Structures are given as C-alpha cells and as structure tokens.
C-alpha cells in the first residue's frame, strides 16, 4: 500500500465514531455500511449544531410545559415543537436503523434507540423521547473526542510525511513529490526540514530529530555513509542524501502501514463482545416485547401505556453502547500509548498476548548489545600505545571487516594520524600483512602469528573477547580487545521484566559461547546459549513452547531471526536497526532499539487489559441493576439514559485514562 494512498484514505485517522461504527466491528454483519460523522476542524459547527439545537428546544419545551405553562403549548403545537427538537438528533439514527434493516440487520442499537424514542412519542412522553436521543448523541460526541485523543499519536505520526522533496535534476535542486523520486537520485534537506525519503548521507554529517519514528526526543548525530530515514528532521546544516528506497518502501511508510493495520486486528476480548452483541441485542428486543404482551394475560388492571413505557425504558437501558464503544477504544488507547513510547503493536490481539508473556527469549547482537564492534582495551609490549594504534590502523583501513573498521574508528577518536600502508596482503582466515613506515606489520588472530612462527603471550588464550593480535618486524607487539558493547539499559531491561512477572529470561546467540555467557552473567539473564545457527534458535524456542504454561516472546533484529519471531507466541523486532524481514514477521516493533521497552510493552498491555475488563464489569453491573428496576417499573427514562449514555461516558473516560498513564 503506498503512503500516497494512505494519506488520502486513512481508516485510522478518519473519525468513525458512532456507537456502532467506531467499534463498528462489534455490530457489523455481511454487507454492512459505514456510519461516518465528520468531525474535522472545518466542520465543527456542523458536527455540534444538531445536539445544540435539540438541547435548546428541549429546555425551552420543558420551560413552556412546567414553568410558564403556556395555554397554546398543547396538542399538535406541543407535538410539532418536540418533533422539531427530536429530528436533528433522531433522524441520523433512524436513517441508520432503516439502512441496517434493508441489509437484514434488524437488531442493533440504532433500531433499539429508534423504537424506544418513537415509542415515547407514541405515549406522548415527548420530552423523555427527545432527551434519550439527545443524550445518546451527546455520548457520541464525547466518544468522538475520546477517539480523536486516542488517535492523536498516530495522527501526529502521519503529519510527519513531507509533501515535497528537493531532488537534484539537470544540475539544480527541484521540488518534486517524494513518490516520484527514484532510487539513486540525490535529494537536499535544509535545516529544520523533514527528510522525505530513506537515503545514505552524502554530506559530512548532521544531527536529526528522530522522535516521529522512535519516540526518542534526544537528537541523533549521523555521519557520512550512514542511513537517514524518512520522517527525521534535519537540525543542523544543509545535507544531501542518496535515495536508497522508494517512497512507498521507506521506513516511515512501513511504520504507518503497521499502525494503520493495527486497528483491524481484534483482540479476543473484543471479538467475544462482538459475538455477545449479536446474541444480546435480539434477546433484549424480544424481552421488551414480552414485557408489553405477557402482563396482559397475568396482571390485574393491565394498562397498556404503563407496560409499554416499561418496555421502552428496558430498550434504552439494554443498548450495548458502553461495551461496544469502550472496548475497542481501550485497545486503541493502548496501541496509541505504546506508539507514544516508541512501541508499535500490530493489533489489539497482540496487546492481549503480550499481557500474558512470562518467558522472554532474546537474541544477543543488536538486541541486548549495540551490534557495533568497539575497541575495549589496547595492550602493548614496551611500545607507545598511540604509535601502536597508528601502525595497526594504517593496515586495518585497507580492510572492510567490521573489526578492522572498529580499529580505524578508534584511531580517529584518539585523533591519531592514520599512516599509509603498502604491500598489504589479506591472509584468509588469519588477518592482514603489510608495510607501514618501513616496518612489517601483522594484524589478525593468534593463528596468523603462529603461521609466521611468532611467539605470543600465553595469557592471550584465556581472553574471552575478540582480539586483534599484532606483530611488528617479527616480534609480538601487543593486542587490541574488541567487543560488542552491551546496551546501556540491558540490565535494567532484565530487572524490569522480572518486576512485570517474567519468570524466565533466555539469551540465544550465534556468537561464541564464552562471549555469550559473559554478557548473560553481566546483565543477570537466567539462561544463555552461544554458537547457535538460526535453526538452533528455532529448536530452543520449540523446546520452551512444549511447556504449555510458558507464553514465549522472542526479541530479535536480524533477518535470521524471522523464523523464530514467527514461531513465538509474541514476536518482537528491534525496529530502529532491524531488518525488514524481522519487522514484517514480528507482532510488535520497538522503534527505539531499547530492550527496556520490552517491559514497557508488557506494562502497557496489562494496563490496557485491566481497563477493558473494568469497563466490561461496569457496563454489565449497572445495566443489570437498572434493567431489573426498569422491568419492575421503578426506573424512568432518565435512569435509563444514565444506564446507557452515562455508563458509556464513564467507560470512555476510563479507556482514555490509558493515554494519561506514564509507563
């Protein structure tokens, strides 16, 4: 799906929030229709005018009836006044009921509300008929505001899509639509502008605001050759990028697609309520009908108007709005709260699954570690360390190996002038050999020095980390310890997961087992396994899943993690640097690349589920009480309005509370 299409027809951002259609799936049947109220800024007056006009006429009518007691305010004039008050809020609902009936959907809250209020008019309870429909409409307006708030994070995300890109054509930068820029073209991004497409940074470097993509407010500095993503904001000087992905395939487009599709994947609780509503609504309709008919045969002094009023009250109370509004809104609120924290859930069903997770399995490289090699220590034999690094870096700059790059990067950080190396030869599986400043330099593993019969220090065999062993002019000169840096929040992540009820943490890695065990011990992981192939990771997760009490989440970032992500109960991808395959396969994407967000995702999931079940309990308890009162003739239309609209509003406010929580 192209983002150009998303921009113009976005199901997530559109304001579909009628009692049936904001949660429309709760009432939808085959061949159903859309009920769409326009709540855009340009049409606020149009949105609120029906409710305001009805409210004004209702209040005036009550004043005319009860206080001024106007002689002329009777009969057809009184009926016409309240009918005019009713129509602005009642006609849209009646229209929906008729459209539903045309599609053979006879039992829904539209038909319940229409029957109840028209019935009130039939027994000349005009003010109550208007009031029920008016408060129903006001409830929808509150719901619309709640939905818009819940969708605010996603809408803000959509707003980061740039409309134009400055692309280099015919020697000058020209404005063009991002979707018309091709891979390989060069675009310019000025200070303060949004990046339109993913691209490789050609310029020296700049700082970028990545909040729209990751939720991280701290600017990120990127250097020449690094990848800049669409949606980032350039904070410094003018930069040029070489486009690496088409607009529709950019990271931003992928995120938008994930978030948009989230609203279509329903949680089990939400699906249960959908099934319940389809059974519940016809039952209460026939119960209301029985409430009118049965007393005729069993009650003394049967008064049709009295029993009809009870049935109408029963219908108003029974409307399932509180359930069908608040449950989808609760899940959407959870998805929105997670998005604000840099976590993308692909659906409410994954929020439900995440809340049950008790076992977390993690890849090491790129998940718990940075995935970038760094020089940890430089050890020399009777030689100045700066001179040592300068000689080794001269040789290593001729290689593209990640370890070689780490040595060169370290030399630059130490402000060392990198010398020229000549006669450089790469010895496969061993390392490099070359001449630097008229000295022969060997840099590689211990096997390289053994090959040239150069003695090394015995203690080198005991070093767990990766090392670059160096010899100069046939003599061992020292070594450089290289390691993948553990992420700053990795240990906190493990602690936080335990606080959230995760009983077992496991780390799987293709790295050598000694390094894997050291990392696991340093951050207190329960079990760790190294020297694994991708299929070995699958085997480990399959073994864990044999225990039915374990709900397993797997966290990874590489393309080789895709099979395990698909196999686990919840697959979590580290999205900032993760591969496309991992992100597409995962159920949850952590945009910030912070492992501590795993615990945050669990916390948000559990908070969402708690709120959803609170709403279910509230709706059932209040409605059950008022239904009994209504059937017994002890509740009026006004209590019915509270049981329907009041409970719905309370449920909405409770669902919106997720957005206010701090995680």
């Amino acid at each position: 799906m192209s983002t150009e299409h998303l921009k113009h027809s976005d199901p997530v951002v559109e304001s579909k929030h009628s009692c049936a259609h904001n949660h429309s799936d709760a009432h939808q049947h085959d061949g159903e229709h859309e009920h769409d109220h326009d709540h855009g800024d340009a049409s606020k007056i149009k949105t609120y005018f029906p409710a305001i006009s009805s409210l004004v006429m209702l209040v005036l009518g009550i004043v005319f009836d009860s206080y001024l007691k106007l002689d002329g305010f009777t009969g057809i004039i009184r009926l016409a006044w309240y009918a005019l008050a009713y129509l602005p809020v009642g006609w849209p609902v009646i229209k929906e009921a008729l459209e539903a009936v045309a599609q053979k959907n006879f039992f829904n809250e539209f038909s319940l509300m229409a029957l109840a209020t028209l019935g009130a008019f039939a027994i000349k309870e005009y003010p109550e008929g208007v009031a029920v429909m008016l408060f129903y409409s006001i409830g929808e307006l509150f719901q619309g505001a709640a939905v818009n708030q819940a969708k605010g994070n996603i809408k803000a995300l959509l707003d980061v899509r740039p409309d134009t890109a400055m692309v280099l054509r015919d020697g000058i930068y020209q404005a063009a639509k991002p979707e018309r820029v091709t891979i390989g073209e060069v675009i310019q991004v000025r200070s303060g502008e949004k990046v339109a497409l993913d691209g490789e940074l050609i310029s020296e470097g700049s700082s970028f605001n990545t909040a729209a993509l990751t939720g991280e407010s701290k600017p990120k500095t990127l250097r020449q050759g690094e990848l800049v993503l669409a949606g980032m904001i350039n904070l410094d000087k003018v930069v040029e990028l070489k486009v690496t992905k088409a607009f529709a395939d950019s990271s931003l487009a992928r995120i938008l697609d994930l978030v948009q599709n989230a609203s279509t994947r329903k949680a089990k609780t939400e699906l249960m309520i959908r099934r319940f509503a389809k059974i519940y609504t016809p039952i209460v309709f026939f119960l209301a009908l029985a409430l009118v008919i049965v007393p005729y045969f069993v009650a003394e002094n049967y008064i049709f108007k009295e029993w009809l009023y009870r049935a109408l009250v029963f219908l108003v109370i029974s409307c399932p709005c509180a359930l069908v509004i608040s449950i989808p809104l609760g899940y959407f609120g959870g998805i929105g709260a997670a998005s604000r924290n840099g976590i993308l859930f692909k659906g409410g069903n994954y929020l439900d699954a995440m809340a049950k997770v008790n076992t977390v399995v993690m890849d090491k490289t790129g998940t718990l570690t940075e995935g970038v090699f760094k020089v940890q220590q430089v050890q020399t034999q009777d030689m100045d360390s700066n001179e040592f690094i300068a000689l080794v870096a001269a040789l290593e700059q001729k290689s593209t190996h990640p370890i070689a790059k780490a040595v060169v990067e370290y030399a630059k950080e130490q402000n060392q002038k990198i010398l020229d190396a000549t006669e450089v030869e790469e010895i496969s599986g061993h390392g490099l050999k070359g001449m630097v400043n008229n000295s022969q330099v060997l840099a590689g593993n211990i096997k390289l020095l053994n090959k040239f019969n150069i003695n090394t220090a015995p203690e080198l065999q005991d070093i767990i980390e990766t090392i670059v062993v160096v010899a100069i002019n046939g003599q061992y000169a020292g070594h450089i310890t290289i390691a993948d840096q553990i992420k700053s929040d990795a240990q906190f992540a493990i602690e936080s997961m335990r606080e959230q009820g995760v009983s077992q943490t496991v780390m799987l890695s293709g790295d050598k087992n000694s390094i894997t065990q050291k990392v696991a011990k340093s951050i207190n992981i329960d079990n760790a396994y190294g020297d694994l192939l991708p299929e070995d990771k699958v085997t480990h997760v399959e073994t864990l899943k044999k225990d039915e009490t374990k709900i397993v989440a797997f966290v990874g970032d590489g393309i080789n993690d895709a099979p395990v992500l698909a196999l686990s109960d919840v697959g979590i991808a580290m999205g900032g640097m993760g591969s496309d395959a991992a992100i597409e396969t995962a159920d949850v994407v952590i945009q910030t690349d912070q492992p501590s967000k795993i615990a945050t995702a669990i916390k948000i999931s559990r908070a969402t589920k708690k709120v959803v079940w609170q709403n279910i309990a509230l709706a059932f308890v209040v409605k059950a009480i008022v239904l009994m009162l209504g059937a017994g003739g002890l509740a009026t239309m006004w209590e019915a309005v509270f049981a329907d609209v009041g409970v719905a509003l309370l449920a909405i406010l409770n669902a919106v509370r997720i957005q206010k929580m701090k995680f």
Side-chain angles (χ1 to χ4, degrees):
M1 181 185 294
S2 74
T3 44
E4 181 63 18
H5 172 72
L6 298 178
K7 189 181 293 187
H8 297 294
S9 60
D10 187 353
V12 173
V13 178
E14 289 173 0
S15 297
K16 293 184 173 77
H17 69 270
S18 77
C19 181
H21 291 286
N22 180 4
H23 27 281
S24 55
D25 288 330
H27 294 283
Q28 288 177 347
H29 300 267
D30 292 340
E32 65 190 334
H33 53 281
E34 278 292 343
H35 179 201
D36 196 357
H37 288 299
D38 184 359
H39 288 278
D41 292 338
S43 56
K44 281 185 178 178
I45 295 174
K46 182 181 175 183
T47 300
Y48 295 106
F49 180 76
I52 293 169
S53 61
S54 287
L55 177 61
V56 170
M57 291 191 73
L58 174 63
V59 171
L60 286 174
I62 292 171
V63 170
F64 295 157
D65 268 337
S66 305
Y67 297 99
L68 298 179
K69 297 182 180 178
L70 298 176
D71 293 336
F73 195 68
T74 57
I76 193 70
I77 293 175
R78 184 170 179 265
L79 171 61
W81 180 273
Y82 283 113
L84 286 172
Y86 177 85
L87 282 174
V89 289
W91 173 244
V93 177
I94 293 171
K95 185 181 176 184
E96 290 289 350
L98 292 173
E99 288 178 1
V101 168
Q103 295 181 9
K104 298 182 180 180
N105 176 11
F106 301 101
F107 304 107
N108 52 69
E109 75 282 355
F110 295 123
S111 57
L112 292 185
M113 296 302 292
L115 281 172
T117 53
L118 291 174
F121 267 75
I123 59 175
K124 298 185 180 180
E125 296 290 349
Y126 308 140
E128 294 188 14
V130 175
V132 168
M133 196 62 83
L134 172 62
F135 286 115
Y136 175 81
S137 298
I138 290 173
E140 284 199 357
L141 293 174
F142 271 100
Q143 181 195 342
V147 169
N148 289 337
Q149 183 175 349
K151 293 177 178 179
N153 294 314
I154 297 166
K155 199 170 189 308
L157 186 63
L158 296 175
D159 287 342
V160 306
R161 292 177 296 193
D163 294 322
T164 59
M166 298 302 294
V167 58
L168 182 63
R169 289 173 179 165
D170 300 324
I172 58 170
Y173 285 100
Q174 306 172 18
K177 287 189 175 295
E179 56 268 30
R180 294 186 180 177
V181 179
T182 58
I183 295 171
E185 288 194 287
V186 174
I187 61 170
Q188 184 186 73
V189 186
R190 288 169 286 198
S191 178
E193 286 185 343
K194 297 166 189 170
V195 178
L197 299 111
D198 291 4
E200 180 185 326
L201 190 60
I202 299 173
S203 306
E204 260 185 44
S206 185
S207 291
F208 294 86
N209 180 331
T210 65
L213 298 175
T214 66
E216 179 61 55
S217 58
K218 185 180 177 182
K220 184 175 184 178
T221 300
L222 297 174
R223 296 187 176 89
Q224 188 176 31
E226 291 189 293
L227 185 63
V228 181
L229 302 179
M232 292 182 176
I233 299 173
N234 181 21
L235 299 177
D236 289 346
K237 51 188 175 293
V238 177
V239 295
E240 283 78 38
L241 312 176
K242 183 179 180 181
V243 176
T244 55
K245 284 185 181 178
F247 185 66
D249 300 325
S250 66
S251 299
L252 180 61
R254 187 176 66 223
I255 293 166
L256 299 182
D257 194 32
L258 292 180
V259 177
Q260 285 176 313
N261 289 334
S263 62
T264 66
R265 296 183 177 96
K266 308 298 180 187
K268 286 183 180 179
T269 311
E270 192 172 344
L271 293 172
M272 177 195 74
I273 293 299
R274 287 174 63 187
R275 292 191 293 270
F276 169 79
K278 288 180 181 180
I279 300 168
Y280 167 85
T281 309
I283 287 174
V284 297
F285 175 82
F286 287 111
L287 284 175
L289 189 63
L291 200 56
V292 178
I293 297 170
V294 173
Y296 176 78
F297 300 101
V298 297
E300 293 182 13
N301 302 320
Y302 176 80
I303 301 170
F304 174 75
K305 181 179 176 180
E306 180 183 320
W307 287 101
L308 178 60
Y309 183 80
R310 291 189 188 189
L312 297 175
V313 170
F314 191 89
L315 282 179
V316 173
I317 298 166
S318 64
C319 185
C321 282
L323 289 173
V324 295
I325 288 171
S326 61
I327 292 170
L329 185 59
Y331 281 109
F332 206 92
I335 291 169
S339 176
R340 191 177 65 246
N341 283 273
I343 305 163
L344 300 181
F345 278 92
K346 292 186 180 180
N349 51 336
Y350 302 122
L351 273 165
D352 261 4
M354 195 73 184
K356 300 173 187 173
V357 165
N358 56 25
T359 304
V360 177
V361 183
M362 293 158 284
D363 180 44
K364 179 180 77 70
T365 306
T367 299
L368 293 168
T369 65
E370 298 288 354
V372 178
F373 285 103
K374 294 281 185 183
V375 171
Q376 303 294 314
Q377 188 180 28
V378 177
Q379 189 76 40
T380 65
Q381 290 281 99
D382 303 321
M383 185 178 184
D384 179 72
S385 61
N386 289 333
E387 183 185 351
F388 176 80
I389 283 292
L391 289 171
V392 179
L395 197 60
E396 297 286 15
Q397 72 175 333
K398 302 295 184 180
S399 173
T400 58
H401 194 280
I403 291 175
K405 288 182 177 180
V407 173
V408 174
E409 185 65 27
Y410 178 77
K412 289 178 180 177
E413 289 172 2
Q414 300 299 313
N415 296 318
Q416 291 296 317
K417 182 183 177 183
I418 298 179
L419 306 170
D420 290 327
T422 58
E423 301 176 29
V424 177
E425 179 186 348
E426 184 165 351
I427 302 169
S428 181
H430 293 72
L432 298 171
K433 170 189 169 188
M435 298 297 295
V436 184
N437 270 5
N438 297 321
S439 298
Q440 186 193 64
V441 181
L442 298 173
N445 53 31
I446 294 175
K447 289 189 293 182
L448 176 68
L449 270 64
N450 290 340
K451 182 179 178 70
F452 285 87
N453 298 316
I454 299 171
N455 294 325
T456 58
E459 60 267 21
L460 293 182
Q461 302 289 345
D462 301 325
I463 296 175
I464 295 172
E465 291 87 355
T466 301
I467 58 173
V468 177
V469 185
V470 181
I472 299 174
N473 292 328
Q475 296 292 320
Y476 169 67
H479 68 272
I480 301 170
T481 306
I482 307 279
D484 187 2
Q485 204 168 10
I486 296 172
K487 289 184 178 179
S488 59
D489 66 329
Q491 186 168 349
F492 174 70
I494 304 302
E495 293 169 1
S496 300
M497 281 185 254
R498 290 201 178 101
E499 287 173 7
Q500 291 303 315
V502 173
S503 58
Q504 185 179 10
T505 53
V506 181
M507 184 170 72
L508 306 178
S509 178
D511 209 342
K512 62 183 183 180
N513 193 52
S514 57
I515 295 175
T516 303
Q517 297 302 329
K518 182 180 179 182
V519 171
K521 187 177 179 181
S522 69
I523 58 177
N524 297 322
I525 283 182
D526 296 326
N527 305 102
Y529 306 91
D531 294 315
L532 300 178
L533 296 171
E535 53 267 33
D536 298 327
K537 293 181 183 180
V538 170
T539 302
H540 275 282
V541 172
E542 284 176 337
T543 302
L544 285 169
K545 287 194 69 179
K546 285 178 183 176
D547 183 347
E548 293 182 0
T549 64
K550 294 186 186 295
I551 307 299
V552 181
F554 179 83
V555 193
D557 78 317
I559 192 165
N560 61 344
D561 294 325
V564 207
L565 287 166
L567 173 68
S568 58
D569 295 303
V570 183
I572 305 172
M574 287 290 176
M577 295 179 67
S579 73
D580 287 356
I583 291 169
E584 290 302 321
T585 310
D587 309 314
V588 183
V589 179
I590 295 177
Q591 285 297 110
T592 61
D593 272 342
Q594 296 171 290
S596 57
K597 294 292 185 180
I598 302 166
T600 305
I602 295 172
K603 194 173 181 181
I604 290 171
S605 299
R606 289 178 180 168
T608 301
K609 198 167 184 180
K610 184 178 179 182
V611 165
V612 165
W613 280 103
Q614 284 172 349
N615 285 346
I616 291 172
L618 173 70
F620 275 120
V621 170
V622 174
K623 282 186 179 290
I625 292 170
V626 185
L627 275 172
M628 288 186 287
L629 292 174
L634 300 174
T636 67
M637 281 279 188
W638 299 104
E639 282 88 357
V641 168
F642 169 75
D644 177 38
V645 178
V647 173
L649 290 177
L650 289 174
I652 289 167
L653 292 173
N654 193 35
V656 169
R657 193 163 55 88
I658 302 170
Q659 293 288 308
K660 306 294 182 184
M661 293 178 184
K662 291 185 178 179
F663 297 102

